[in-house]
Amino acid sequence: MPHTLYSERLQLIPFSPEDSELFLNLNTNSFVRQFLWDDQIIDSTTAEAIIRQNTKHFQEDQYGLWKLQIQGSDED
């Protein structure tokens, strides 16, 4: 897995399998899904599959989906 990237205020952290529930919650938010999912609600199986693919992308291709975290915060 790639390392976390840091700026003065933020951290960019690759989504990992432990983040499947967070990813699902983000992508079932009505504001997010209207732009990313044509307002369709994804299920946990889809979210887990995307996160598995994301892990594979980072391992093989060094790119993927990142989450943002404010420096010094535990919240994603």
Side-chain angles (χ1 to χ4, degrees), residues 49-66:
I50 292 168
I51 293 297
R52 277 193 308 276
Q53 185 63 42
N54 190 60
T55 301
K56 184 177 176 182
H57 280 305
F58 272 113
Q59 291 170 344
E60 296 177 1
D61 307 314
Q62 287 74 53
Y63 76 88
L65 301 172
W66 300 78

Side-chain angles (χ1 to χ4, degrees), residues 7-44:
S7 75
E8 187 175 310
R9 293 181 26 225
L10 301 172
Q11 298 176 52
L12 285 163
I13 306 165
F15 275 100
S16 65
E18 296 79 31
D19 296 318
S20 291
E21 185 175 343
L22 171 64
F23 186 79
L24 176 64
N25 289 339
L26 287 170
N27 285 277
T28 54
N29 175 284
S30 61
F31 181 78
V32 173
R33 75 172 188 253
Q34 72 178 325
F35 296 104
L36 297 181
W37 299 102
D38 294 328
D39 215 22
Q40 298 299 310
I41 298 175
I42 65 168
D43 60 19
S44 60

